Amino acid sequence: MEKTGSDPYSNAVTQLKQASAILASSYADKKEAFEQIIERLQTPDRVVQESVEIEMDDGSKNQYLVFRSQHNDARGPYKGGIRFHENVTLEEVKALSMWMTWKCAITGISYGGSKGGVVVNPRELSRAELERLSRAYARVVAPYVGAWKDVPAPDVNTNGQIMAWMLDEFERIVGHHEPAAFTGKPLEIGGSLGREEATGKGGVFVLLEFAKRIGKEPSDLTVAVQGIGNVGSWFAKLAVEAGFRVVAVADSRGGVRSKKDLSINIDELIEHKKSKGSVKGFRGTVALTSEAFLLQDVDILVPSALENVITPEVAKKMRAKAIVEMANGPVTPEADEILWKRKILSVPDVLANAGGVTVSYFEWVQNLHGYTWSKEEVFAKLEPLMVRAFDQMWTTHEDKKINLRMSAYVGALKRVVDAMLLRGR
Ligand code: GLU
């Protein structure tokens, strides 16, 4: 197979090519059109890149690089979050936008895929500076976003407040209200109940299905969650509520494992991290380095932070029996091959963390119709979509004897290719 490494975009293209090789025989009578579509899907439809200047509180000026990548909109408006991180690159944003195309196709919501990013460590900004940067981002992307064009949302280090500033700036420019142009908003300005915990909730629905397929009860399974941001902390909390034994949790500096392999109290752990700056030293636990955390003996490993944590080296040595990818792109394609040979199943990001964008879709629907759904209604709508997507992936996995990522990808890619064909693109 092709050599892949830490460039997420070349990893995303490799995954696309692998899936298209499996799917090609279904399009034998449209071979040329199929190949052209696959070629086109290797490059985003549009990439916006600009440097914006922000006034800092002390009167000085700083420049920040901002991106928006719109990968494909054959199935509906582009959809995807915006991340604020010092290591954001154009290649990463392009990869993430392609992954959004597959993610929306897998759950069947009528969106394409996009992603945005700003190269910044938001922790170094004051609240006023963060607001100025968020508004500047909205000004750059305003011509390209909108309820029926491209709908941004939160991602790593962004949240409802940032969406509120961006929406406000966008609405000033377009001159009318358009709440459905951004999702992940605070409730007061059109956000949806359940959006904040949606990614974690969707991941737990997926983990419950996975447990059934491998014939286990939640209480039989020990779980280690790497990452304690919005996704990891909600996933861990809701997994404990669902009966799984979340025995280990890590932040970016290392992790902790329960001495007696009991579930960790996630609310208390978050409080501990707030006051001590790290999860280390939490009562009843032992500390683990970041590397040891990934290699520990546990049933389910749940990377919930950034890309490329499961490298070939980790895949060779890890002792977890399965992976649920709550982060985007945590497993490299070469690591995937090793996991498959070692019979370690990895439930792919494009399904496992699709609960976030699916509830974003429900938020958009509510905004377009002026509805307000209860949290129970939102989760009652989320569960069947996640379960159906899981079933489709699992059936393909069993029929074709391919890994879970490729099983999810071929279904998603087929939907996108069919939409492209119908549009005559
Ligand atoms: N940033 C989330 C993701 O990667 C959610 C995107 C959205 O809601 O549009 O799936």
Side-chain angles (χ1 to χ4, degrees), residues 68-101:
R68 185 83 183 157
S69 168
Q70 298 178 325
H71 175 253
N72 183 274
D73 71 341
R75 298 186 59 262
Y78 299 104
K79 182 85 189 79
I82 301 164
R83 65 174 52 179
F84 282 7
H85 197 281
E86 64 265 46
N87 299 336
V88 163
T89 62
L90 177 61
E91 297 306 295
E92 180 192 39
V93 175
K94 282 164 62 184
L96 289 159
S97 70
M98 191 192 293
W99 289 327
M100 287 308 299
T101 301

Side-chain angles (χ1 to χ4, degrees), residues 354-374:
V357 72
T358 304
V359 176
S360 271
Y361 166 76
F362 296 148
E363 179 176 337
W364 179 81
V365 171
Q366 290 172 81
N367 293 154
L368 291 175
H369 294 269
Y371 297 152
T372 317
W373 294 337
S374 68

Side-chain angles (χ1 to χ4, degrees), residues 53-83:
E53 192 175 78
I54 301 300
E55 183 170 329
M56 309 311 281
D57 293 345
D58 65 3
S60 66
K61 301 248 169 44
N62 271 0
Q63 306 266 351
Y64 296 96
L65 203 50
V66 311
F67 305 109
R68 185 83 183 157
S69 168
Q70 298 178 325
H71 175 253
N72 183 274
D73 71 341
R75 298 186 59 262
Y78 299 104
K79 182 85 189 79
I82 301 164
R83 65 174 52 179

Side-chain angles (χ1 to χ4, degrees), residues 79-82 100 103 115 151-155 183 195 199 328 353 356-357 360:
K79 182 85 189 79
I82 301 164
M100 287 308 299
K103 201 182 291 190
K115 199 72 160 208
V151 184
D155 195 80
T183 62
R195 176 61 187 87
T199 310
N328 287 310
N353 71 29
V357 72
S360 271

